[in-house]
Structure formats: structure tokens, C-alpha cells
Amino acid sequence: MRKYLYPTLLVVFGLLAAAIFIFKKPAPRTPQLKERHGDLAAGGEWLNTKAAIEGLLAKLRADPNDQKSRLLLAQAYMQEARVTGDHPYYDEAAMGLLDEVLQAEPENFEALCCKSSLCLTQHHFAQGLGLAEQAVKLNPNSGFVYGLLTDANVEMGHYDEAIKMADKMNALRPELASYARTSYLREIYGDVPGAIEAMDMAAKAGYVGLEQTEWTRVALGHLYEISGDTARARAQYQMALLARPAYAYALAGLGRMAAAHKDYAQAIKLYQQARVTVKDYAFSDELADLYRLNGQPAEADKKAKESIEMLASAAKEADDNEQMGHYADRELAYAYVKTNELDKALEHAKIEYERRPDNIDVNETMAWVLYKRGQFAEAQKYMQVARRTGSKNPVLLCRAGLILSKLGKTAEGQALIENSLKTAPYLNPEVEAEGKMLLAAR
């Protein structure tokens, strides 16, 4: 009997070992830092970032249960995504780290806030709002969480609630981030001078040269653009470049200023520099316009297709994975309008509208796609919603004027178009061209 027992036990132990090997879930691999290249690798900031992240990776190798270091690493990767534009890699890396933290500590306030912020970056706005609402119950005295609630409610079109959250944020912690939120809301409600004032306060509250500060300075420059003050806009972009050399969004701002003065060759050069530094579909999208204005239709078509490919890839990833992937349907709708693929444009505009029917920007997108399809009465329904906050954005007003003119409300429509073109005709070449064409036909 015993001579059969040992072989049997060996078989059983072998099967158990195989089962453990096959079914045991492997420990997740900690994502590594990528090397920066070119201008992004210059200066002490990259050396400091690299040293800090390598230190966190070493701590996690020594203690895989060190959730504090894991959370700090996720935050560092979220910032690295902002700096490099490599959101597909770093956002996924950060999300994986945050999920590990939350699996171990489901009520970790900072991790919930970071995951909410990451969802907002990925345009998963409803999910980001839900996470922020969960976090604020754990800590109702944090200014940061009210910033997330402001952003999420703005994107969902809940503007009254967004104002309440921004007020709470400013009461708890008046600083760069809270002043910037105030600026965004003032702009939405048509108070451009007030928006400039608040964004100027935000820029002055930050440390010169930090990415967040120079992002804010670029946002201030854009507000000057909207108001038609190209001189002050240019000054802000130049200041941002002095503080943070080769900053892609400041280069793009100067590119728009060059285009405003019809220097399309210089504008193209500046956008190409920005595009080399940071991966952002918007640079390819705007280059398509610039090449067309510069009499280079083949290059314009190439960049338009490139922009669509980048956006479509992100949208497909988001459709395949509810947790990750950048929802890009609104951007795709505009991109397909430029290539005159209006059925696809409407398809993606509708997808975004289903997600955020109250958001004014989404309603503007629906209105413009329907206008391009010749469905003017339907377009006006969405445009009325898009204008409900009293926004003074010149592109919005010109689009509204074009729709009204097609519906026979000529005087009202032409007044909006004239005001838009007088303020900032350079903001959107396509809308500018249509507006001028309509006015010339009077």
C-alpha cells in the first residue's frame, strides 16, 4: 500500500503547485519612468523629477505595500503626462497605481481625488464627478476637492453647482487653482474683464517657471485673445517662454499671434516646434488650418487626417475600456467637419451630447455640425442652449450669427457676426471665412 502512496502524493502536490502557478494572479508590475528628450530634458527640473521618481520606485521595490509612495508616484506620473503630453502612457500608469492604493485603502481621500482628477483629464466627466462627491464626504474641508467638483460640474453643464463649489474652494484656500476656476466661470458667464482679472491673480500667485504657473499664464494670454487684445496676449506668451523655455503651449500662442498678422509661415514654424516638444492632437489640428491659409492644401489634408487618426485612436481605447482612454468625440466632430465627413461628424457630436446634454460647448458642437449639414432650424435649438450663460466667446457668437442669418433673422445674425469679426477674427479661420462671405453678400 505504502509503495503506491508516495507516487500519489507526488502527483497531488504537483497538481497543486501547477494550479498555484497557473491561477495565482501575478503582482502588478510598477510602471517605469520614460526618458525625456530635447528641450524637455534640459534644465534642473528634469533632474529633480527623475531623482524623485527613482526614489519612489526604490521605496516600492523595498516595500511593495508602501501605499504612500505608490500614491506619490501616481501623482508624479500625472504631472509627467502634463509636461510631456504622453497621456496614454502616464495616465494608464497612474490609474493602475491609484487602483492598487484604493484596493488596499478604499477610503484614501488623496487617492480618490487623484483618480477623480485623472478621470477628468481623460474626459470621463461623470465618473470624475462621482469620485469627487465620494471624496468630499471623507474630507469636506479640502479646497482641492472643491476644485474637482467645480471642474466636473462645469463639464457636465451644472454651472450653478459649479459656482457654489468654486466659492467654497476660494473660501477655504485662495490660491492659483481657485483663482483660475473663478476665471473660467466668469468667462462662461460672459464677464471677460472679470475673467482676465482672476486669471491674472492666478498667474501672480504661482511660482514662476512651474508648469502649472505658465499654463495659467498661457490661459491669461488666451483670454486677451478672446477680448481682441493681441499685444497683451503676445506679452503673456513671451513671458511664459522666458520663464519656461520651449513651453509648447506658449509657442502655440505665439503661433496664433503670428497667424493673426497673416504671417502663416512663422505660425507654422512655431506650431511645429510645439508639436515636436509635446504630443497634442490640437497642434496637428491647428497646423491643418495654417497650411490651408498658407496655400498648402496637400499638407493641410495630411495634418487633418493625422489629427483624426490621433483622436480616433483615443476614442477607440475609451470605448474598449470604460476605466481609461480619452473620450474625444467632441474633438472628432470638429475634425470631421474640416474633412467634410459630415455624417461622421454628426455621429460623434451625438455621442458626446448623450454624455453631456447640458454642457454649452457640446451644444455649440451639435449646432455647428447641423449648420454645416444645412439643418439650420435644428441647429438653432442647440445654439440657444449653448448661449444660455451669456458667453461672449467670438467664435460662438459668429456661429450663432451664421445660423440666425440662414433662418432669415438677418439683422440680428449680421450684428453678431460683425461684432465677432471686429473683436477677434483670427480665432477660427473657418468661421471667419464664412462670416466674411455672408457679410460680403449683403
Side-chain angles (χ1 to χ4, degrees):
M1 181 73 176
R2 184 170 291 182
K3 71 176 182 178
Y4 297 108
L5 178 61
Y6 291 117
T8 303
L9 287 173
L10 286 172
V11 170
V12 170
F13 284 127
L15 289 171
L16 285 171
I20 291 169
F21 178 79
I22 293 169
F23 295 109
K24 182 183 177 183
K25 188 175 180 180
R29 179 177 172 274
T30 302
Q32 301 298 298
L33 177 67
K34 287 185 176 183
E35 281 290 334
R36 291 190 197 174
H37 301 284
D39 291 320
L40 289 177
E45 182 191 85
W46 169 232
L47 295 177
N48 292 336
T49 298
K50 198 172 180 179
I53 289 176
E54 286 174 352
L56 291 170
L57 289 167
K59 285 184 178 182
L60 284 170
R61 284 194 294 272
D63 180 6
N65 295 316
D66 182 354
Q67 302 306 336
K68 181 63 177 176
S69 292
R70 184 167 280 110
L71 175 60
L72 289 171
L73 183 61
Q75 292 170 338
Y77 282 164
M78 288 168 69
Q79 180 60 23
E80 195 66 9
R82 281 177 60 94
V83 171
T84 64
D86 192 356
H87 285 280
Y89 177 79
Y90 284 115
D91 285 357
E92 184 174 0
M95 185 65 83
L97 292 165
L98 292 171
D99 282 342
E100 287 181 60
V101 174
L102 288 168
Q103 186 175 2
E105 302 172 5
E107 294 194 345
N108 186 309
F109 172 76
E110 286 187 73
L112 284 169
C113 285
C114 286
K115 186 169 180 178
S116 171
S117 178
L118 196 51
C119 287
L120 296 179
T121 298
Q122 293 284 318
H123 290 192
H124 293 228
F125 300 121
Q127 187 179 356
L129 177 58
L131 287 163
E133 288 173 338
Q134 186 179 344
V136 77
K137 293 174 183 175
L138 298 172
N139 183 0
N141 298 311
S142 162
F144 182 72
V145 75
Y146 288 110
L148 295 172
L149 287 165
T150 302
D151 296 342
N153 278 295
V154 164
E155 296 297 348
M156 294 304 293
H158 309 156
Y159 301 108
D160 290 343
E161 187 65 17
I163 291 171
K164 293 175 186 176
M165 297 300 103
D167 286 346
K168 287 186 177 183
M169 185 183 190
N170 276 281
L172 284 165
R173 193 171 179 182
E175 57 169 359
L176 182 153
S178 53
Y179 298 146
R181 261 81 173 200
T182 298
S183 177
Y184 296 147
L185 286 163
R186 287 178 179 178
E187 182 189 355
I188 285 168
Y189 279 91
D191 181 8
V192 177
I196 288 172
E197 178 187 26
M199 196 64 78
D200 184 53
M201 290 172 64
K204 288 174 179 174
Y207 290 100
V208 173
L210 286 183
E211 193 274 338
Q212 294 92 329
T213 304
E214 303 318 318
W215 172 271
T216 303
R217 204 180 309 282
V218 167
L220 176 58
H222 187 62
L223 285 170
Y224 281 125
E225 283 189 61
I226 287 172
S227 69
D229 193 339
T230 56
R232 283 194 172 91
R234 184 183 295 106
Q236 293 301 319
Y237 300 139
Q238 289 170 336
M239 287 171 64
L241 276 176
L242 281 173
R244 193 173 180 86
Y247 187 45
Y249 298 101
L251 288 169
L254 287 176
R256 286 194 300 276
M257 294 300 88
H261 291 87
K262 313 297 183 188
D263 188 353
Y264 301 125
Q266 176 65 6
I268 288 168
K269 181 181 175 182
L270 287 162
Y271 265 96
Q272 286 173 332
Q273 284 180 254
R275 187 167 159 269
V276 166
T277 306
V278 169
K279 301 173 183 178
D280 191 324
Y281 89 91
F283 296 152
S284 295
D285 183 61
E286 294 193 52
L287 273 168
D289 291 334
L290 291 169
Y291 278 122
R292 209 170 300 285
L293 291 166
N294 203 41
Q296 297 173 264
E299 280 297 318
D301 290 342
K302 180 181 175 182
K303 285 292 174 286
K305 288 175 183 175
E306 182 180 284
S307 178
I308 286 173
E309 286 172 4
M310 290 173 71
L311 290 167
S313 174
K316 184 179 185 306
E317 183 183 357
D319 288 340
D320 293 343
N321 181 359
E322 287 186 11
Q323 183 86 331
M324 281 299 300
H326 185 94
Y327 282 147
D329 293 287
R330 178 170 171 260
E331 293 87 349
L332 268 171
Y334 282 122
Y336 279 124
V337 165
K338 287 185 180 181
T339 58
N340 204 35
E341 297 174 85
L342 298 182
D343 287 345
K344 289 182 179 179
L346 183 59
E347 175 190 343
H348 287 282
K350 284 181 173 179
I351 290 171
E352 193 64 45
Y353 182 80
E354 286 296 316
R355 293 191 192 110
R356 303 189 285 153
D358 297 322
N359 180 276
I360 59 173
D361 296 325
V362 174
N363 278 275
E364 180 185 357
T365 305
M366 281 291 296
W368 186 241
V369 171
L370 290 164
Y371 167 83
K372 298 297 282 187
R373 292 169 62 88
Q375 297 170 252
F376 306 123
E378 191 70 11
Q380 175 60 5
K381 293 177 185 177
Y382 291 98
M383 184 54 75
Q384 285 176 324
V385 178
R387 295 183 65 195
R388 79 179 194 272
T389 60
S391 171
K392 298 293 192 301
N393 185 289
V395 176
L396 171 68
L397 295 182
C398 194
R399 284 175 171 152
L402 287 165
I403 292 169
L404 287 169
S405 297
K406 292 293 185 180
L407 290 172
K409 299 182 180 182
T410 308
E412 185 182 355
Q414 289 182 353
L416 286 171
I417 295 167
E418 286 174 346
N419 183 52
S420 170
L421 296 180
K422 182 181 177 182
T423 304
Y426 44 78
L427 283 175
N428 187 302
E430 179 191 24
V431 174
E432 177 193 2
E434 293 221 19
K436 285 181 175 178
M437 190 184 303
L438 189 145
L439 293 177
R442 285 183 294 185

